[in-house]
Amino acid sequence: MMHLEHLNLVVKDIPTTLAFYQAIFPHWKTRGGGVSQWYGVDRNWIHFGDDYQYLTFNDDGVGNNRDLSGHQVGLAHFAFVVDDLNGIIERLAAIGHPIDKAGAEDPYRRNVYYIDPNGYEVEFVQYLSDIPSERNRY
């Protein structure tokens, strides 16, 4: 078996980023952190997750993330499968984060996109079927 263990994200501010992701994953916790150097620049870092997967936030980010409407090489978005899409929408709205884009109408899934505080696009998908041919059709 193989699964994604973590994403390592360069961010501008850890507390602001952490507040966004804590609203999404209220059951996750800060697993560790510290200070390190990346090519001569000091940075703080934390691991935020559960016992099996996590997000790493490094606070040495400068400038803006790639233009998501453009065609630059870089991360377009990352996605999480969720059981309660409405709960995520409500928790993010409560801390001032509206949906950036709604997903396409589909009888077997619901999805929405958000822009996190650092300009990363994050998708959340709730599948309404367990049948692979319905979930994965396009």
Side-chain angles (χ1 to χ4, degrees), residues 31-59:
R31 298 179 8 165
V35 178
S36 63
Q37 250 194 16
W38 185 255
Y39 290 95
V41 175
D42 290 336
R43 67 180 182 179
N44 298 296
W45 62 271
I46 66 164
H47 288 174
F48 175 68
D50 61 18
D51 291 334
Y52 303 99
Q53 54 196 347
Y54 61 94
L55 299 170
T56 300
F57 304 131
N58 303 283
D59 71 355

Side-chain angles (χ1 to χ4, degrees), residues 11-27:
V11 304
K12 293 179 182 180
D13 178 71
I14 290 175
T16 302
T17 303
L18 190 57
F20 179 84
Y21 287 97
Q22 282 174 321
I24 297 163
F25 302 109
H27 61 289

Side-chain angles (χ1 to χ4, degrees), residues 8-126:
N8 189 323
L9 303 174
V10 177
V11 304
K12 293 179 182 180
D13 178 71
I14 290 175
T16 302
T17 303
L18 190 57
F20 179 84
Y21 287 97
Q22 282 174 321
I24 297 163
F25 302 109
H27 61 289
W28 281 12
K29 62 184 182 303
T30 299
R31 298 179 8 165
V35 178
S36 63
Q37 250 194 16
W38 185 255
Y39 290 95
V41 175
D42 290 336
R43 67 180 182 179
N44 298 296
W45 62 271
I46 66 164
H47 288 174
F48 175 68
D50 61 18
D51 291 334
Y52 303 99
Q53 54 196 347
Y54 61 94
L55 299 170
T56 300
F57 304 131
N58 303 283
D59 71 355
D60 59 327
V62 295
N64 294 319
N65 212 325
R66 72 180 281 276
D67 177 2
L68 295 174
S69 67
H71 301 279
Q72 305 89 348
V73 172
L75 180 67
H77 73 267
F78 53 96
F80 294 96
V81 174
V82 301
D83 293 331
D84 180 17
L85 186 60
N86 288 337
I88 288 173
I89 292 167
E90 291 167 8
R91 291 191 302 274
L92 285 172
I95 63 167
H97 291 278
I99 294 171
D100 184 61
K101 292 186 299 204
E105 292 286 324
D106 190 291
Y108 304 113
R109 78 172 77 203
R110 296 178 54 226
N111 64 317
V112 295
Y113 298 83
Y114 285 86
I115 305 299
D116 88 351
N118 304 283
Y120 291 108
E121 185 175 61
V122 187
E123 178 185 8
F124 300 96
V125 182
Q126 181 176 358

